[in-house]
Amino acid sequence: MTVQTALRHACRLLEEGAIAVPRLTAEVLLCHALGRERPYLYGHPEEELSEAARAAFERYLQERLDGKPTQYITRRQEFYGREFLLTEDVLIPRPETEHVVETALAVAGDARHILDVGAGSGALAVTLSLELSRPVSASDISPAALAVAAENARRLGAEVRFFAGDVVEAVAARSLDLVVSNPPYVPLEEQAGLQREIRDWEPHVALFSGPEGLDMYRRLVAGATRVLRPGGWLVLELGFKTAGPVHEMLGAAWTQVRTTPDLAGFQRVLAARWRS
Ligand SMILES: C[S@@+](CC[C@H](N)C(=O)[O-])C[C@H]1O[C@@H](n2cnc3c(N)ncnc32)[C@H](O)[C@@H]1O
């Protein structure tokens, strides 16, 4: 089997399995089996696959056909121009979360005490630390996720202090300049209707937060009022249709409240300033 025939065979199987973007998926999985980057495939269409590469490719294809997301097969995902390692213990970082980074960078100023709540792969904490060239703290309730985030910080050279904990529990009062979070926000009632790649593979602790997906927002807003210094910022990723309810959770002591849309036009990020 050559590179070209392997790709044709894979495309057909993936199309029959109703897998989205079959050609790209086939190329990414074949690259993973070969330990190469995509341009290699275009330059070597007639190359014969070794037995080991062929077996690995067949295995990856079967995993994808069984619903496993491509990123959990390749164990990596790019975020804000950097490659993050992944395991099934962490959410796959999404492109829309890059808007959280942009908003956080815009309000950070000379913020020294920054906390990312719900680190997951470390996408936000690691990126903010590297973009701002300063230490960042990050918490997660999942020790397994923290291990992945710590490995990403180490590989990418970011100075992040991780701690296991619930929301902002371990943080001293009035000590922070900036709290960022991409919290779990999928309503539990939508679980059955989710894509199987999400529902059956991504950690539920990273997805769901109460019947309407608002529980973690309530806890974050309450926690932020305790740990932010006056003038400190809260930056939150918003779920579909959560802009209104989250806005309503903020009392009069929050100022400069603003939301930013993502590329699809949904209000995706909320920023608010505590007692400025
Ligand atoms: C949507 S994921 C975000 C991961 C990462 N920040 C990103 O943007 O890709 C939410 C994260 O919050 C964590 N989490 C859930 N409940 C938590 C809680 N009560 N306290 C702290 N972290 C929590 C989950 O383990 C998960 O890693």
Side-chain angles (χ1 to χ4, degrees):
M1 184 182 267
T2 65
V3 162
Q4 198 171 41
T5 53
L7 284 174
R8 255 191 240 129
H9 156 74
C11 275
R12 191 175 43 75
L13 284 181
L14 292 167
E15 271 165 22
E16 284 168 8
I19 300 295
V21 286
R23 174 77 195 189
L24 177 62
T25 303
E27 289 184 7
V28 170
L29 294 181
L30 184 55
C31 286
H32 188 51
L34 293 170
R36 302 280 187 179
E37 299 298 324
R38 277 173 67 215
Y40 185 88
L41 303 182
Y42 308 128
H44 302 79
E46 303 302 335
E47 182 174 303
E48 285 288 330
L49 268 57
S50 69
E51 241 346 278
R54 186 181 165 149
F57 186 46
E58 292 292 350
R59 192 169 70 248
Y60 301 151
L61 275 176
Q62 193 53 55
E63 287 178 340
R64 185 66 196 90
L65 288 165
D66 290 341
K68 188 171 183 174
T70 303
Q71 294 94 328
Y72 286 147
I73 300 172
T74 61
R75 301 192 157 239
R76 53 187 177 162
Q77 170 67 30
E78 193 197 295
F79 182 80
Y80 215 78
R82 299 183 181 90
E83 190 175 280
F84 283 76
L85 293 182
L86 301 181
T87 71
E88 288 152 44
D89 296 311
V90 299
L91 187 95
I92 299 166
R94 307 295 207 268
E96 51 269 30
T97 302
E98 295 182 344
H99 294 301
V100 178
V101 174
E102 283 156 9
T103 302
L105 293 177
V107 301
D110 58 3
R112 289 277 140 201
H113 300 288
I114 301 172
L115 173 70
D116 169 24
V117 179
S121 64
L124 281 174
V126 168
T127 303
L128 288 175
S129 171
L130 292 172
E131 293 296 318
L132 292 165
S133 303
R134 61 190 86 149
V136 165
S137 298
S139 71
D140 203 294
I141 197 125
S142 158
L146 284 172
V148 177
E151 177 62 10
N152 279 316
R154 191 191 64 75
R155 289 169 65 108
L156 292 165
E159 208 181 326
V160 184
R161 183 179 153 258
F162 293 103
F163 55 93
D166 185 21
V167 195
V168 295
E169 186 183 69
V171 180
R174 311 265 171 268
S175 57
L176 300 182
D177 303 306
L178 172 60
V179 173
V180 301
S181 184
N182 171 20
Y185 54 63
V186 180
L188 256 177
E189 55 204 29
E190 289 179 11
Q191 181 172 353
L194 283 179
Q195 263 179 287
R196 66 176 175 155
E197 281 82 355
I198 300 173
R199 186 193 58 225
D200 297 346
W201 290 91
E202 299 206 72
H204 283 194
V205 68
L207 296 175
F208 301 111
S209 185
E212 301 151 318
L214 295 172
D215 288 10
M216 189 66 172
Y217 287 116
R218 284 192 196 96
R219 302 186 62 215
L220 273 164
V221 170
T225 61
R226 188 174 62 73
V227 300
L228 281 174
R229 65 162 173 80
W233 283 92
L234 174 64
V235 175
L236 297 175
E237 177 162 327
L238 296 171
F240 186 55
K241 291 192 193 156
T242 59
V246 175
H247 212 295
E248 279 170 23
M249 289 174 201
L250 304 173
W254 289 95
T255 63
Q256 300 179 49
V257 182
R258 61 185 85 154
T259 55
T260 314
D262 62 18
L263 298 176
F266 297 118
Q267 295 306 320
R268 182 58 68 185
V269 187
L270 178 141
R273 200 162 193 197
W274 176 240
R275 288 195 196 286
S276 61

